[in-house]
Amino acid sequence: MSDGPCGVRGMGSTSNPSDCFPCSSAQAATFDPALVERVGTALGEECRRKGVDILLAPMVNIVRHPLSGRNFETFSEDPYLTGVLATAFIKGIQSQGAACCIKHFVCNDCEKCRFSATSDVSERALREVYCLPFEMAIADAKPLTLMTSYNKVNGVFSSENEHLRAILRDEWGFDGLVMSDWGGTNSEAVISTGLVDLEMPGPGHWLTPLRAEEALKAGTASQAAVQKHVSRLVDLAAKLDALQAELPPISRTADYIRSHRDLMFETATSSIVLLKNERDLVPICSEHFSARKRIALIGEPAKFVLPFRGGGGSGSVFTHHVVSPFTAIKERAKGIADVEYEVGCVFHFVPPCPPPDWFIPGNGSKDHGILLTFTDMQGKQLFETVVQYTHLHWGCDAALPSGVVAPFVCTLSGKFKPDHPGKYIFEMKGSGKTRIQLGDQELLPWTRKGSRKAETMVAPDADWQQFTFSLEQEASTPGDLVSGIWCEVECCPENMTLHSDALVADAVKLAEQADCAIVVAGVGSQFEKEGEDRRDLLLPGDQSTLIQRVAAANKNTIVVLLCGSAVDMSAWVNNVPVVFQAWYLGQETGSALAAVLFGDADPGGRLSVTIPRSLRDTPAFFNYPPVCDKILYNEGIFVGYRYFDKRGLNDRVLFPFGHGLSYTTFSFRLKTHHFFFFFLPWSDGAVLLWETLPARGTVTRPAGASRQRRIRRKARAHAT
């Protein structure tokens, strides 16, 4: 099994990196099931390449509240859109002989108190909103496995909920394998209910032979039920063996790399949403520049992009590389304008992972990166490769490169040269003893675990310096490495400190001297992640202040937002002519942004969530966070845009669900046979329909459009 859904982490993720696609909320913004199915097919190929049988994806929980930490990992606030795209995603993956595990069944829509809270939801909302994506995908794509959620539903844990079992098994006829979330079983009732076939992770605590025998003796479980659980495990293994036997082995060839990168780029550009474009300021072209020909590129995510390729937690993967906006925009602007950079402000908890272009491996290669080497304690080399980042996690000793076992020494080495002189701060930590050498200096001596910091000066005329980080991992018993083998090296300029007015002032000065200013802002994996909800809807740190001051200094300010869901733009959106919602775009982040900014690709995305004017305007505002372990779903079926439509509050929407501008002018001609109709037994409330049609009329560049319609039943006359 492997985590997903933006990539296939697999075992040995650091020594066997993964392709990293745009996050699920970005994929949903394409409104393109065919494209999402192609993404699924590519991820299925990654499963084949990595030897993964089950991908723990897609997540189809609903974006009920904008602060939920895993909104980036699911598709949308709309259950129908979620169901259509999940169906396409599953079909793609399972076409490659891997099984999907659709998750989390059900109402796991926030992270706060997720292990204990009860989601108290009406039967109508449960079925029409929260169960609908599961029902659609099970009917049309037939996922081979399903995962229950941690939370309770109406007072009963999902993994032992008889009502959910009846819906899934009896009504929908799902006969695939059901597994628990990791540690998501809570009592012996999981046996008597009969919903869960496999308790994760193994070995089980409740689903054990001894407890099964006790349940049989007590009469709370039947022999037939126990045999059915076992048969589902056996059947799944047989199905996967049969599917995989028909497919040839797959490897990471040049054609494989090129086709996947092209698909990641296409998906990324197709998901970027152009929220506003006053004065047609984008796409950027040579006519926009004065004799100065300068672009000010501002923002921590523009250069330190690693935390902004995707959200945090089990949905993250170790990537082959990530193209930063700074690198891609500077390359694309050659011959048009000079690109100059200022960080503006920072908002990380620890110094960021240094960009890969600060290192070269030192093994004769001129490419950027750092050399990763494993040796035994006598110095014999066991493994060597070039990596792009200094955050390395193996998870467990079984995930280490082939032939590597503890004790060992792991070394990151190469030549170090940042792009600006000055004082730099290094920080190191790891699962064993660590140290850093820079040039002839032992910058940080051997330290056992923990975290250490040191400073070093980089002179204006400094040449490349030899850099060596070492992790000495001692021999272990099997239980010693449960927390994982890992090491991290962070590095940044000394002036990158939280709430630094000097950083904002430097960015404003650069913006004043430029023809246009591009501010890349975002949330990032430290704030948007599994296990923790966001504290508020604001951009972290001083980013809102930074945007306001840059916009005041330069009337041609473009804001790009790298985040998985909505953020509060109220303080600055009226003073900024161009805003992009760019989600988390994966490893081609910079390439896709540069292509859209300069008009090489059309911003093809449409919002898969509503962006409200403020957090207080959202449907679940008064029912979040959980109180006394209760989450009240009092908004019923009126989730997302349905709430604003129903309550007549569309003036409280900043950018509506489905919104997105283009560089191309479209005209449509209605053809009724293009429509598919989908009705639910609602007395009121909107139903989403959409169709993807070719553009007609004046088309200045290749583009596509999704025409969306919402229908509403007329009010029925009631006899008095």
Side-chain angles (χ1 to χ4, degrees):
M1 298 181 191
S2 172
D3 285 316
C6 66
V8 181
R9 184 185 297 170
M11 295 289 281
S13 58
T14 299
S15 52
N16 187 12
S18 308
D19 288 339
C20 184
F21 284 81
C23 68
S24 295
S25 56
Q27 294 178 38
T30 69
F31 277 75
D32 190 342
L35 178 59
V36 173
E37 184 168 349
R38 289 166 56 205
V39 171
T41 301
L43 291 174
E45 292 172 344
E46 281 281 274
C47 287
R48 286 169 58 193
R49 182 178 72 83
K50 291 192 153 200
V52 169
D53 294 318
I54 302 173
L55 186 66
L56 303 175
M59 178 175 168
V60 298
N61 299 111
I62 298 300
V63 180
R64 175 177 175 260
H65 196 283
L67 297 187
S68 177
R70 295 180 84 172
N71 283 343
F72 70 93
E73 202 175 336
T74 191
F75 289 108
S76 174
E77 67 187 34
D78 184 79
Y80 184 67
L81 176 62
T82 300
V84 169
L85 297 180
T87 297
F89 185 88
I90 292 166
K91 285 180 177 179
I93 288 174
Q94 295 194 165
S95 71
Q96 297 300 306
C100 271
C101 182
I102 189 170
K103 63 184 186 182
H104 308 85
F105 190 63
V106 63
C107 293
N108 183 187
D109 307 306
C110 72
E111 293 300 284
K112 189 175 180 63
C113 304
R114 64 174 178 163
F115 296 109
S116 57
T118 175
S119 298
D120 289 353
V121 58
S122 71
E123 187 69 10
R124 183 183 181 191
L126 175 67
R127 289 176 177 270
E128 294 182 7
V129 178
Y130 300 99
C131 283
L132 181 63
F134 291 93
E135 183 180 8
M136 293 174 64
I138 287 169
D140 295 338
K142 297 177 173 53
L144 295 177
T145 70
L146 175 144
M147 183 187 293
T148 57
S149 57
Y150 286 122
N151 56 284
K152 302 171 186 174
V153 176
N154 294 327
V156 182
F157 281 110
S158 296
S159 59
E160 52 196 52
N161 193 304
E162 170 58 30
H163 185 49
L164 297 183
R165 188 211 63 79
I167 291 173
L168 180 68
R169 297 294 195 192
D170 300 341
E171 294 184 27
W172 300 347
F174 180 71
D175 199 38
L177 181 135
V178 175
M179 70 179 74
S180 72
D181 206 336
W182 267 231
T185 53
N186 299 276
S187 74
E188 63 274 2
V190 73
I191 301 175
S192 57
T193 304
L195 173 58
V196 174
D197 303 303
L198 178 64
E199 184 179 8
M200 292 300 294
H205 179 72
W206 297 105
L207 291 181
T208 64
L210 178 60
R211 291 186 186 274
E213 185 178 349
E214 290 173 350
L216 290 171
K217 290 178 180 178
T220 56
S222 67
Q223 187 69 40
V226 173
Q227 288 176 342
K228 188 64 175 175
H229 291 311
V230 174
S231 69
R232 289 194 185 106
L233 284 163
V234 174
D235 290 347
L236 176 62
K239 286 177 183 177
L240 292 173
D241 284 345
L243 289 170
Q244 293 166 5
E246 299 174 2
L247 297 168
I250 197 166
S251 59
R252 191 172 160 79
T253 63
D255 287 342
Y256 181 100
I257 295 169
R258 183 169 52 252
S259 65
H260 279 219
R261 287 195 67 176
D262 288 348
L263 180 57
M264 285 182 271
F265 175 83
E266 179 185 353
T267 307
T269 57
S270 298
S271 70
I272 295 172
V273 183
L274 178 57
L275 296 177
K276 59 182 298 190
N277 186 15
E278 295 176 1
R279 296 183 276 113
D280 291 331
L281 190 58
V282 287
I284 298 169
C285 57
S286 57
E287 288 78 11
H288 292 158
F289 294 97
S290 66
R292 293 179 295 187
K293 296 186 182 299
R294 297 179 74 184
I295 295 174
L297 182 58
I298 296 165
E300 181 184 351
K303 181 175 281 190
F304 299 89
V305 70
L306 187 63
F308 303 93
R309 75 197 187 283
S314 61
S316 63
V317 296
F318 188 85
T319 58
H320 296 279
H321 69 276
V322 182
V323 180
S324 73
F326 172 78
T327 300
I329 291 171
K330 191 169 186 177
E331 178 65 27
R332 180 58 182 81
K334 282 182 178 178
I336 300 175
D338 294 328
V339 177
E340 298 180 46
Y341 174 77
E342 287 288 348
V343 69
C345 71
V346 295
F347 46 91
H348 48 252
F349 301 137
V350 296
C353 178
D357 55 6
W358 287 6
F359 298 94
I360 54 175
N363 61 350
S365 172
K366 295 183 179 179
D367 295 332
H368 292 297
I370 192 162
L371 192 66
L372 168 65
T373 307
F374 284 90
T375 62
D376 63 20
M377 303 305 287
Q378 287 72 47
K380 179 183 177 182
Q381 183 171 303
L382 305 173
F383 179 83
E384 181 180 282
T385 190
V386 174
V387 296
Q388 296 291 304
Y389 297 100
T390 56
H391 285 193
L392 306 179
H393 292 250
W394 289 274
C396 64
D397 50 356
L400 290 166
S402 177
V404 177
V405 293
F408 61 78
V409 176
C410 167
T411 303
L412 288 168
S413 62
K415 303 285 187 177
F416 170 75
K417 183 181 178 182
D419 46 13
H420 290 290
K423 185 180 288 186
Y424 282 76
I425 298 172
F426 279 91
E427 182 172 346
M428 70 174 185
K429 46 187 174 287
S431 55
K433 288 168 55 180
T434 56
R435 74 169 176 179
I436 291 179
Q437 295 170 286
L438 187 63
D440 298 329
Q441 177 187 8
E442 188 173 54
L443 193 62
L444 285 168
W446 284 109
T447 302
R448 184 174 296 279
K449 298 187 178 180
S451 176
R452 290 283 303 278
K453 293 182 181 180
E455 299 176 353
T456 187
M457 286 295 300
V458 176
D461 57 348
D463 200 357
W464 292 93
Q465 298 184 72
Q466 179 63 38
F467 168 87
T468 305
F469 166 84
S470 302
L471 165 71
E472 187 176 284
Q473 186 70 53
E474 298 173 349
S476 63
T477 60
D480 289 342
L481 298 178
V482 170
S483 61
I485 301 171
W486 58 277
C487 59
E488 293 183 359
V489 179
E490 285 97 14
C491 177
C492 71
E494 182 192 36
N495 66 346
M496 285 182 63
T497 56
L498 293 173
H499 310 300
S500 170
D501 292 337
L503 293 180
V504 176
D506 289 343
V508 170
K509 183 177 179 180
L510 179 63
E512 289 173 341
Q513 300 168 353
D515 294 291
C516 75
I518 302 171
V519 181
V520 183
V523 178
S525 58
Q526 291 189 12
F527 299 92
E528 213 164 357
K529 59 184 178 180
E530 180 181 3
E532 186 177 326
D533 291 334
R534 290 159 61 190
R535 289 176 294 180
D536 52 49
L537 209 57
L538 301 174
L539 287 167
D542 294 334
Q543 291 182 100
S544 289
T545 300
L546 173 67
I547 293 170
Q548 292 176 67
R549 292 189 58 184
V550 168
N554 191 312
K555 67 178 182 178
N556 297 328
T557 294
I558 300 165
V559 174
V560 177
L561 297 171
L562 299 180
C563 48
S565 192
V567 297
D568 189 337
M569 310 179 200
S570 58
W572 49 265
V573 70
N574 292 332
N575 301 317
V576 172
V578 177
V579 182
F580 288 98
Q581 173 69 34
W583 318 102
Y584 296 128
L585 297 178
Q587 70 185 57
E588 297 302 318
T589 295
S591 303
L593 285 178
V596 167
L597 285 167
F598 288 89
D600 302 326
D602 192 68
R606 305 295 180 260
L607 286 177
S608 54
V609 295
T610 300
I611 297 181
R613 291 192 178 275
S614 72
L615 183 61
R616 189 178 181 85
D617 297 322
T618 55
F621 176 76
F622 292 105
N623 299 307
Y624 176 89
V627 177
C628 298
D629 268 353
K630 280 184 176 288
I631 308 171
L632 302 179
Y633 283 53
N634 286 342
E635 69 279 6
I637 65 169
F638 298 105
V639 179
Y641 66 85
R642 299 171 177 180
Y643 168 82
F644 296 100
D645 287 346
K646 172 66 175 176
R647 307 298 182 197
L649 297 174
N650 286 313
D651 62 321
R652 304 310 303 156
V653 173
L654 186 60
F655 295 107
F657 174 91
H659 172 74
L661 306 178
S662 173
Y663 298 153
T664 296
T665 301
F666 295 95
S667 64
F668 296 109
R669 185 172 64 191
L670 177 63
K671 290 185 178 180
T672 55
H673 67 268
H674 276 283
F675 278 97
F676 50 87
F677 293 95
F678 181 80
F679 291 100
L680 288 174
W682 297 348
S683 59
D684 48 18
V687 180
L688 172 68
L689 304 175
W690 87 90
E691 53 179 343
T692 301
L693 297 175
R696 298 176 182 274
T698 303
V699 180
T700 55
R701 53 179 45 79
S706 295
R707 176 160 58 186
Q708 304 157 45
R709 293 175 179 265
R710 301 178 199 172
I711 62 173
R712 186 187 305 276
R713 285 194 173 187
K714 292 183 178 180
R716 295 178 180 177
H718 295 279
T720 59

